[in-house]
């Protein structure tokens, strides 16, 4: 492709190495891209509160597409710019009911956002007893299931201790695929549910419109199923060598793994 006018990258398994660090090589090429006037946009399943830890080492001050496209976050201003497709209580109730039936033993959590990455007026992550966070970070306020479904959420999280994410997604799509979007960014028994039609691609389309960049001049990097729509939409979609088979199948190019600066390997052609 021609020199990209906008760079979009997933975070975990893509921009960060297996130790969840940004290498000096990757940080340097992102800095050069920024100096050349090319926006670098994070596109992630992470919520806004998990963005500063990534943006700081990379010197990124622009936009982050968070919660798989549901939230657009301005990093420098620490401001949630827009929220699209919030899951309303009725839809949450129906989804949780169906998933409890077809995935017995699963646990639920809900992501919510306020005006800033950390908003004291908002319980950002609420979890029920039995929900297992694969990152083991101890985050989240324990609440009843009624509290999880009782207020709008930008993302519903579902965990199961005895299934893979692929297995969970297949079962969940069989009963919910017409009403919500189901994806995952980790393989160890966790699926992520968003309002129907909300993906990283829709979030990036909003950013591209703000910058006036045509889609054919956008390059996007990813590694997991929540990146599939983004890589299909972008002018040039790049999968990491460590990517899920579904991502490898739609990519225009496969680069090195995240352990070998795969994103930098590509961007150094221009920056």
């Amino acid at each position: 492709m021609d020199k990209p006018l906008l760079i979009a990258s997933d975070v975990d398994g893509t921009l960060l190495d297996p130790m969840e660090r940004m290498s000096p090589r990757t940080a340097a090429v992102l800095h050069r891209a920024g100096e050349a006037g090319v926006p670098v946009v994070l596109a992630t399943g992470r919520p806004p509160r998990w963005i500063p830890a990534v943006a700081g080492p990379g010197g990124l001050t622009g936009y982050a597409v968070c919660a798989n496209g549901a939230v657009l976050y301005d990093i420098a201003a620490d401001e949630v710019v827009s929220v699209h497709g919030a899951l309303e209580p009725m839809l949450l109730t129906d989804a949780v009911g169906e998933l409890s039936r077809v995935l017995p033993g699963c646990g639920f959590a809900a992501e919510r956002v306020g005006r800033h990455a950390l908003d004291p007026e908002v319980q950002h992550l609420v979890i029920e007893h039995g929900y297992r966070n694969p990152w083991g970070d101890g985050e989240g306020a324990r609440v009843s299931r009624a509290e999880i479904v009782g207020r709008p959420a930008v993302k519903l999280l579902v965990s199961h201790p005895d299934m893979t994410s692929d297995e969970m997604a297949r079962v969940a799509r069989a009963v919910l695929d017409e009403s919500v979007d189901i994806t995952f960014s980790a393989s160890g028994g966790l699926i992520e549910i968003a309002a129907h039609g909300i993906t990283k691609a829709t979030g990036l389309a909003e950013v591209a419109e703000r910058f006036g960049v045509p889609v054919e001049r956008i390059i996007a990097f990813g590694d997991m199923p929540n990146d599939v729509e983004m890589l299909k939409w972008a002018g040039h979609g790049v999968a990491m060598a460590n990517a899920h088979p579904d991502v490898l199948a739609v990519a225009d190019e496969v680069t090195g793994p995240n352990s070998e600066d795969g994103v930098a390997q590509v961007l150094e052609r221009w920056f």
Side-chain angles (χ1 to χ4, degrees):
M1 71 176 298
D2 294 331
K3 180 180 177 180
L5 299 181
L6 189 149
I7 298 162
S9 180
D10 172 53
V11 173
D12 300 287
T14 302
L15 200 62
L16 303 185
D17 68 18
M19 299 299 292
E20 297 188 0
R21 300 171 302 195
M22 186 180 297
S23 74
R25 179 181 177 183
T26 296
V29 75
L30 296 183
H31 179 71
R32 292 194 295 270
E35 285 192 323
V38 176
V40 178
V41 180
L42 299 176
T44 177
R46 290 182 179 223
R49 66 183 180 280
W50 286 12
I51 295 301
V54 180
L60 304 178
T61 58
Y63 291 112
V65 173
C66 301
N68 294 327
V71 179
L72 182 60
Y73 174 63
D74 184 323
I75 299 168
D78 183 26
E79 180 182 0
V80 171
V81 176
S82 59
V83 178
H84 299 286
L87 296 159
E88 297 297 331
M90 184 173 294
L91 182 56
L92 286 169
T93 299
D94 291 344
V96 166
E98 282 295 291
L99 292 172
S100 297
R101 180 177 63 84
V102 299
L103 295 171
C106 68
F108 297 95
E111 280 279 2
R112 297 168 182 153
V113 293
R115 295 174 56 197
H116 309 288
L118 290 172
D119 192 327
E121 297 181 4
V122 176
Q123 280 188 318
H124 293 280
L125 177 66
V126 291
I127 63 176
E128 70 170 358
H129 181 75
Y131 173 77
R132 183 179 63 88
N133 191 328
W135 296 281
D137 56 18
E139 190 182 32
R142 286 202 180 275
V143 298
S144 67
R145 183 170 292 185
E147 179 66 21
I148 288 174
V149 302
R151 297 182 183 179
V154 294
K155 184 165 67 169
L156 177 68
L157 299 157
V158 190
S159 72
H160 199 293
D162 301 317
M163 298 178 72
T164 67
S165 302
D166 273 299
E167 292 167 340
M168 293 178 68
R170 282 194 294 270
V171 173
R173 286 174 182 142
V175 295
L176 291 179
D177 214 22
E178 295 300 315
S179 56
V180 296
D181 279 5
I182 300 162
T183 190
F184 56 93
S185 56
S187 60
L190 181 76
I191 58 175
E192 305 166 44
I193 296 175
H196 194 54
I198 299 299
T199 68
K200 290 185 182 183
T202 61
L204 281 172
E206 180 180 354
V207 178
E209 184 177 359
R210 287 172 177 263
F211 284 112
V213 176
V215 66
E216 60 268 18
R217 299 295 296 275
I218 297 174
I219 189 169
F221 298 85
D223 74 308
M224 289 298 281
N226 63 331
D227 298 314
V228 166
E229 294 302 321
M230 173 175 71
L231 266 61
K232 289 167 62 177
W233 170 84
H236 193 70
V238 183
M240 312 304 290
N242 51 283
H244 187 279
D246 289 355
V247 182
L248 295 170
V250 302
D252 299 304
E253 177 182 355
V254 178
T255 186
N258 67 320
S259 60
E260 298 177 11
D261 296 296
V263 172
Q265 288 181 34
V266 175
L267 293 181
E268 285 168 352
R269 296 171 190 168
W270 305 285
F271 309 103

